[in-house]
Amino acid sequence: ETGVTQSPTHLIKTRGQQVTLRCSSQSGHNTVSWYQQALGQGPQFIFQYYREEENGRGNFPPRFSGLQFPNYSSELNVNALELDDSALYLCASSNKQGGETQYFGPGTRLLVL
Amino acid sequence: GDSVTQMEGPVTLSEEAFLTINCTYTATGYPSLFWYVQYPGEGLQLLLKATKADDKGSNKGFEATYRKETTSFHLEKGSVQVSDSAVYFCALTSSNSGYALNFGKGTSLLVTP
């Protein structure tokens, strides 16, 4: 069974640029959630996708957007990058909407200069 | 809204010492409770979980009991090893949060030989 994978592992961008992060969910999982983890902090929920639709969103501005594809993989897009967007971005998958354990990928570390 | 409060670290213990990391929560309804562990430079790994009151989650020598009367989910291990050095996160999901994980700030554990 393949676990959750994310790409790239590391990324450096400059302020104002746009970035796309990718996540492949664990086999059999149809729900993907994205989290932002700033240095020394707990992860913060960005949004969740279930069957290709956004299924909940945390306190993040609209420049954070996402997609889920028919194979349940997902993308996180961030426009107009700010210095505070520097963080570890974590993707988690689970096997149905709500109530199921989320399994995390290794994360993408984004540095915005 | 829902929230999780963990004891602040860092916690430093000698090998074979007893570990307790306190976690309390505030939630409406009936949350599920989790402990995740994050090793340096890695993503989050599920350590254990409990989905209803009085359930005990256990894994790799770690245990935590869901106490509804005290709204707590303290993590314990009888004899820690150097390899247990990591950051530990307490988290909950609930129907109120749309099943997004709500994390505490994390507790850093360092085990010395």
Side-chain angles (χ1 to χ4, degrees):
Chain A
E1 183 178 90
T2 305
V4 180
T5 60
Q6 293 186 242
S7 63
T9 55
H10 295 83
L11 203 51
I12 300 175
K13 292 285 188 179
T14 56
R15 197 169 43 182
Q17 285 189 310
Q18 178 266 341
V19 69
T20 297
L21 309 182
R22 295 178 175 82
C23 171
S24 292
S25 60
Q26 186 168 312
S27 177
H29 287 184
N30 57 16
T31 302
V32 172
S33 303
W34 286 91
Y35 295 82
Q36 181 196 66
Q37 185 181 18
L39 198 62
Q41 301 295 315
Q44 298 292 314
F45 174 68
I46 302 174
F47 44 55
Q48 182 181 88
Y49 278 84
Y50 170 65
R51 293 187 174 178
E52 303 179 57
E53 293 194 0
E54 189 177 289
N55 184 47
R57 188 179 184 93
N59 189 26
F60 281 81
R63 60 189 185 84
F64 286 78
S65 63
L67 284 173
Q68 186 179 33
F69 300 99
N71 66 355
Y72 304 125
S73 66
S74 178
E75 287 182 353
L76 164 65
N77 299 290
V78 187
N79 293 321
L81 284 167
E82 300 177 0
L83 298 180
D84 285 349
D85 296 333
S86 296
L88 180 67
Y89 288 85
L90 295 162
C91 169
S93 73
S94 51
N95 68 359
K96 70 177 183 183
Q97 180 183 10
E100 292 295 331
T101 302
Q102 296 182 28
Y103 295 90
F104 283 81
T108 294
R109 189 164 296 281
L110 172 65
L111 177 61
V112 182
L113 301 176
Chain B
D2 297 349
S3 67
V4 174
T5 302
Q6 288 181 240
M7 63 185 284
E8 292 195 14
V11 174
T12 303
L13 294 173
S14 298
E15 204 165 22
E16 299 183 2
F18 185 86
L19 168 71
T20 300
I21 299 178
N22 290 336
C23 170
T24 58
Y25 67 89
T26 301
T28 54
Y30 303 95
S32 294
L33 301 173
F34 304 83
W35 279 100
Y36 283 87
V37 59
Q38 187 172 38
Y39 297 100
E42 298 185 10
L44 297 175
Q45 296 179 24
L46 176 67
L47 184 58
L48 53 82
K49 68 177 182 179
T51 57
K52 61 183 187 295
D54 300 325
D55 269 1
K56 177 185 283 189
S58 62
N59 186 27
K60 300 180 182 179
F62 291 89
E63 294 183 340
T65 301
Y66 188 148
R67 301 287 189 199
K68 189 171 172 62
E69 64 276 13
T70 55
T71 62
S72 66
F73 193 55
H74 304 320
L75 182 68
E76 296 182 335
K77 186 176 186 183
S79 176
V80 293
Q81 304 301 311
V82 171
S83 58
D84 294 327
S85 298
V87 180
Y88 293 81
F89 292 93
C90 185
L92 68 82
T93 61
S94 72
S95 58
N96 187 52
S97 68
Y99 298 106
L101 278 162
N102 193 327
F103 286 90
K105 292 186 177 181
T107 302
S108 176
L109 170 67
L110 176 64
V111 180
T112 58

